[in-house]
Amino acid sequence: MTILWAEQALLAGGWAEAVRVEVDDAGRIAGVQSGAAPQGDRHAILLPAPANLHSHAFQRAMAGLTERRGPDPRDSFWTWRQLMYRFLDRLTPDDVEAIAAFVQMEMLEAGYACNVEFHYLHHRPGGLPHDDPAEMSARIAAAARTSGIGLTLLPVLYQFGGCDRRPLGAGQIRFGNDPDGFARLVEGARAALAGLPADTRLGVAPHSLRAVTPEGLAAAIALGDGPIHMHLAEQTAEVEEVLAARGARPTRWLLDHAPVDGRWCLIHCTQMDPAETLDLAASGAVAGLCPITESSLGDGIFDGVRFLGAGGRFGVGSDSNIRIALSEELRTLEYSQRLRDRSRAALATADRSTGRVLFEGAAAGGAQAAGRAAGAIAPGAWADLVALDGGAVDLQGRKGDAILDAWIFAGDDRMVRDVWAAGRHLVQDGHHIAREAITRRYARACAGLRDAL
Amino acid sequence: MTILWAEQALLAGGWAEAVRVEVDDAGRIAGVQSGAAPQGDRHAILLPAPANLHSHAFQRAMAGLTERRGPDPRDSFWTWRQLMYRFLDRLTPDDVEAIAAFVQMEMLEAGYACNVEFHYLHHRPGGLPHDDPAEMSARIAAAARTSGIGLTLLPVLYQFGGCDRRPLGAGQIRFGNDPDGFARLVEGARAALAGLPADTRLGVAPHSLRAVTPEGLAAAIALGDGPIHMHLAEQTAEVEEVLAARGARPTRWLLDHAPVDGRWCLIHCTQMDPAETLDLAASGAVAGLCPITESSLGDGIFDGVRFLGAGGRFGVGSDSNIRIALSEELRTLEYSQRLRDRSRAALATADRSTGRVLFEGAAAGGAQAAGRAAGAIAPGAWADLVALDGGAVDLQGRKGDAILDAWIFAGDDRMVRDVWAAGRHLVQDGHHIAREAITRRYARACAGLRDAL
């Protein structure tokens, strides 16, 4: 049993002062009491640590390497994808493990407690499976053992190169499985996770409506009872392709043909019409938003005002991992709404500030999307916690919602002091406890990959 | 004479290796030589340090305090402005000096060498001038003596509350001058700057077409020969007001009625039509962009693709100072273009990466707007320099434009190791040399202002 105490904490029921949190040896919150005398491990500000609900870890090593203009006069997501394919063709299992551990460390240092890894790089260069088809999944699991982050692993089903069932392109050959191969992969991934802590989860990710057939989708979601994630409605070209092939826009098609509910997390959703937005909000699924990556790739702006207004659930993920920065991710989401609508405090409500709405939403929605009993400081939840630096000049004297506003709009990761994932105290005084070794290994992997782009 | 040496440096003519830079005792670059043996004060990466071309220092102390929803169901720039007015009504000269020094320190730590301060808070609460009408200007100058930053001070002429020449509102009463009072203020400011280093500059800032008359504008620009800055075309309501009162949109009116040339810097320009955009580009004036603040206040998106395509000059400023972050400011500019156009590498050219175009543009345009002989590493320029951390994991092994792409798109201030303003070595190993004292004084000022919002 560990006792934490904080001057201020955001509890399930709102802000409280002088809060004592008991964490049991399994890493769950055993008790929460406000108005308690200072005791145990003391902090200024304690918050629930959200899950990072969408990541492709390996893309971290490409950060900043794709900002030249491509041969296309009008560069786009699709030219970026070609670069990305060329890069990943070089990656070994050792690279993937080193990059994933580094990404998970950066997530923890940014204030995330859990990495939901949307994992599609399964096979050897050229497309042959590894001897263990779940070799790459095992490397993500090994990284999580090193970093200590909470892991929700989502092996990806990737069948075809488009809605017309064309074969995978050269750059996609390491992703491919038919539904039977995918079932074996999921079993292998389950075995690879066996040694990890009890908060680890396994789900499935049918990649997108471009890459899986209706039958493949049905087969994938029948595997297990964990989270189901899918890329959806990110790019206009994708909307057009799905509309032409299936007679409906992607979100509409999915809502009409799949049992979309709270198990589901739909990634991006930047290209929805108003009716799709409202129906997705009503479904109980989580919209998995990746505002920094969606800016970087020019995907467009999610209709957060309409979606949250209709009670929709959302969380955030760092996706391409070009920057892993929780406060910036939330700020980027809010600012995109303001730029589109020429407004301020776009997602605030009458009784909650913008920062509070963003943070509480991301904590609750992230946990739901991760299939993780977490997202709030409450008994029974995993002790996913982040402590902010009460000495930071922008946090001094701040109370309640103003704390989150200062962190998200004026601050950055440097305000994050301590992070716990299911009670594991991994970030201490601003740094991950294994920062040096993890960084050294990552830098070595990057040196080997240099000039790949 | 100081000798700096860097493995890589961005010179006026492009990237060079093994670069020796001689800085004379006045703070000017005396010589630049590439292919030199390692010597002197050694660094990994040396860049010209841009000027921060637009700041209202005191607003820094409001950062994160205005993210609640106002009484207006549709919150906007104009409700924010009410909050800002209420806040500034509390500020004393001591507060202003403490805040300005802190802001200048943060600018330096972010990689800026110069603070162009658009300074409109002149009088006592209630509107009476101080005994010295330039008291507040003197406090900005005192802050610059403390921080060491290069200062371009722009006293602001603020005559009326709108195009209809209505009197200043209660919140604006501390800003007001008629042209005669403004001339005295400018003389006072000149005296206040007398003790500062030789790179200090004085300009004028007729606030906006809402706040100055055509006669006031003419009188203001006749004072001296320094830079002329003006807020222009930030908000749609402003465009409508100017159009109704003067028969033309703000940018069009100004281009038609004022001698707009390279002395001018027009701040924001988020609301221009395509013809205004092209004509402003042709004028030789600098577009003063503040992408983080323009996101925060929902101003809208500057048409950077069209403006840069037409050879327009731009620089960036932190304006409200809600975040002072050079790399993020440039990233936000580029990402706004991508979100609007659903593109990538929006501002890149065939031979320069996105980061290079952003950085070189901001360095050259910032110097022009500051009236400062700087903006490139070349003999005769002030030694405004920033050294990046070659040990940062995202910079290891990077060459040329990829350095700027890594800093701007994957990095942040933490990559900034050393900064010189006109040869004054103010940031060393990531921290301003007077960080502790400046921060302590700022925190004390903020504690006094707490609950002002």
Side-chain angles (χ1 to χ4, degrees), chain A residues 60 64 66-67 69 74-75 236 296 298 323 328 331 338 341-342 344-346 354 394 396 411 450, chain B residues 60 63 66-67 69 74-75 236 296 298 323 328 331 338 341-342 344-346 354 394 396 405 411 450:
Chain A
R60 174 65 180 83
T66 63
E67 308 304 333
R69 174 150 292 182
R74 188 177 158 86
D75 209 317
T236 51
S296 173
R323 281 184 61 72
E328 183 171 327
R331 178 166 75 240
R338 298 187 190 185
D341 297 345
R342 296 185 191 141
R344 277 193 68 254
T354 318
D394 285 293
Q396 288 172 24
R450 206 158 286 153
Chain B
R60 174 66 180 83
T66 63
E67 307 305 332
R69 173 151 293 181
R74 188 175 157 87
D75 208 316
T236 51
S296 173
R323 280 184 61 71
E328 183 172 326
R331 177 166 75 240
R338 298 187 190 185
D341 297 344
R342 295 185 192 141
R344 278 193 68 254
T354 319
D394 285 292
Q396 288 172 25
D405 293 337
R450 206 159 287 151

Side-chain angles (χ1 to χ4, degrees), chain A residues 8 15 44-45 327 331 388-417, chain B residues 57-68 87 98-99 102-103 105-107 109 320-325 413 435 438-447 449-451 453:
Chain A
Q8 297 183 75
W15 290 98
I45 297 157
S327 60
R331 178 166 75 240
L388 300 184
D389 178 8
V393 71
D394 285 293
L395 291 176
Q396 288 172 24
R398 300 274 165 107
K399 297 273 184 195
D401 289 8
I403 291 169
L404 293 168
D405 293 337
W407 182 25
I408 294 169
F409 295 101
D412 58 31
D413 304 352
R414 281 167 280 196
M415 288 186 182
V416 173
R417 293 297 281 187
Chain B
F58 73 86
Q59 293 181 16
R60 174 66 180 83
M62 295 168 55
L65 289 175
T66 63
E67 307 305 332
R68 296 185 299 266
F87 181 78
I99 298 169
F102 185 79
V103 161
M105 176 189 83
E106 289 195 322
M107 288 178 181
E109 290 185 345
S320 71
N321 296 310
I322 187 163
R323 280 184 61 71
I324 297 174
D413 304 351
R435 172 166 252 290
I438 290 173
T439 304
R440 201 177 323 114
R441 191 169 167 199
Y442 173 72
R444 214 159 43 219
C446 287
L449 292 165
R450 206 159 287 151
D451 313 319
L453 286 176

Side-chain angles (χ1 to χ4, degrees), chain B residues 250-260 266 275-277 279-280 283:
Chain B
T251 308
R252 176 61 54 207
W253 189 91
L254 193 77
L255 290 170
D256 286 350
H257 293 85
V260 176
L266 306 183
E276 288 174 310
T277 304
D279 291 347
L280 180 61
S283 74

Side-chain angles (χ1 to χ4, degrees), chain A residues 64-388:
Chain A
L65 291 175
T66 63
E67 308 304 333
R68 296 185 298 265
R69 174 150 292 182
D72 240 335
R74 188 177 158 86
D75 209 317
S76 74
F77 172 89
W78 309 99
T79 53
W80 172 85
R81 199 177 67 156
Q82 290 306 318
L83 289 173
M84 188 264 285
Y85 285 170
R86 208 164 81 209
F87 181 78
L88 66 78
D89 212 40
R90 300 271 295 268
L91 294 168
T92 66
D94 278 352
D95 292 335
V96 166
E97 183 177 338
I99 298 169
F102 185 79
V103 160
Q104 292 166 358
M105 177 190 82
E106 288 195 323
M107 288 178 182
L108 287 161
E109 290 185 344
Y112 294 110
C114 171
N115 164 205
V116 183
E117 184 64 18
F118 194 106
H119 174 60
Y120 58 76
L121 185 64
H122 303 307
H123 308 313
R124 298 178 206 263
L128 276 182
H130 290 96
D131 296 338
D132 171 1
E135 165 77 21
M136 289 294 209
S137 297
R139 296 308 190 109
I140 304 287
R145 245 190 308 271
T146 301
S147 73
I149 203 166
L151 178 65
T152 293
L153 183 65
L154 305 173
V156 171
L157 172 61
Y158 206 113
Q159 297 175 271
F160 293 105
C163 285
D164 58 0
R165 306 194 180 197
R166 59 181 173 270
L168 299 178
Q172 301 164 325
I173 208 83
R174 299 183 72 180
F175 315 159
N177 276 299
D178 61 21
D180 288 346
F182 182 65
R184 287 191 297 274
L185 172 67
V186 170
E187 279 324 295
R190 193 184 308 279
L193 297 179
L196 265 64
D199 55 298
T200 310
R201 295 298 310 270
L202 180 67
V204 293
H207 179 275
S208 61
L209 292 178
R210 287 173 285 125
V212 300
T213 62
E215 303 73 30
L217 176 61
I221 67 181
L223 295 169
D225 58 357
I228 303 165
H229 287 223
M230 189 171 208
H231 289 130
L232 202 79
E234 178 176 10
Q235 286 276 331
T236 51
E238 171 200 346
V239 172
E240 287 155 22
E241 183 180 337
V242 172
L243 183 56
R246 301 209 179 161
R249 298 164 56 87
T251 308
R252 177 60 55 207
W253 188 92
L254 193 77
L255 290 170
D256 286 351
H257 292 86
V260 176
D261 62 11
R263 275 179 74 196
W264 291 67
C265 178
L266 306 183
I267 306 298
H268 301 306
C269 303
T270 37
Q271 305 299 333
M272 296 195 298
D273 65 27
E276 288 174 310
T277 304
L278 297 176
D279 290 348
L280 179 62
S283 74
V286 174
L289 311 178
C290 309
I292 294 175
T293 297
E294 289 153 9
S295 300
S296 173
L297 299 182
D299 291 337
I301 300 173
F302 177 75
D303 190 353
V305 172
R306 192 184 307 270
F307 186 76
L308 269 68
R313 301 174 194 187
F314 76 97
V316 293
S318 53
D319 191 1
S320 71
N321 296 310
I322 187 165
R323 281 184 61 72
I324 297 175
L326 171 54
S327 60
E328 183 171 327
E329 205 74 73
L330 296 171
R331 178 166 75 240
T332 304
L333 170 58
E334 167 69 17
Y335 280 177
S336 69
Q337 309 298 303
R338 298 187 190 185
L339 283 175
R340 182 194 55 214
D341 297 345
R342 296 185 191 141
S343 66
R344 277 193 68 254
L347 298 176
T349 61
D351 61 343
R352 290 172 194 218
S353 77
T354 318
R356 171 94 177 267
V357 168
L358 289 164
F359 190 83
E360 278 190 332
Q368 178 179 326
R372 189 170 173 87
I377 301 181
W382 292 114
D384 288 353
L385 300 168
V386 53
L388 300 184

Side-chain angles (χ1 to χ4, degrees), chain B residues 109-263:
Chain B
E109 290 185 345
Y112 295 109
C114 170
N115 164 205
V116 183
E117 184 65 17
F118 195 107
H119 174 60
Y120 57 77
L121 185 63
H122 304 306
H123 308 313
R124 298 179 207 264
L128 276 182
H130 290 97
D131 296 338
D132 170 3
E135 165 77 21
M136 289 295 209
S137 296
R139 296 309 191 107
I140 303 287
R145 245 189 308 272
T146 302
S147 73
I149 203 165
L151 177 64
T152 294
L153 182 65
L154 306 174
V156 171
L157 172 61
Y158 206 112
Q159 297 175 269
F160 292 106
C163 287
D164 58 0
R165 306 194 178 197
R166 58 181 173 269
L168 298 178
Q172 301 163 326
I173 209 81
R174 299 184 73 179
F175 316 159
N177 277 299
D178 61 21
D180 289 346
F182 182 64
R184 287 191 297 274
L185 173 66
V186 170
E187 279 323 294
R190 194 183 307 280
L193 297 178
L196 265 64
D199 56 298
T200 309
R201 294 299 311 270
L202 179 67
V204 293
H207 179 276
S208 61
L209 293 179
R210 287 173 286 122
V212 300
T213 61
E215 302 73 30
L217 175 61
I221 68 181
L223 295 169
D225 59 356
I228 303 165
H229 286 224
M230 190 173 208
H231 289 129
L232 202 79
E234 177 176 10
Q235 285 275 330
T236 51
E238 172 200 346
V239 173
E240 287 155 21
E241 184 181 337
V242 172
L243 184 57
R246 301 208 179 162
R249 298 164 55 85
T251 308
R252 176 61 54 207
W253 189 91
L254 193 77
L255 290 170
D256 286 350
H257 293 85
V260 176
D261 62 11
R263 276 180 73 197

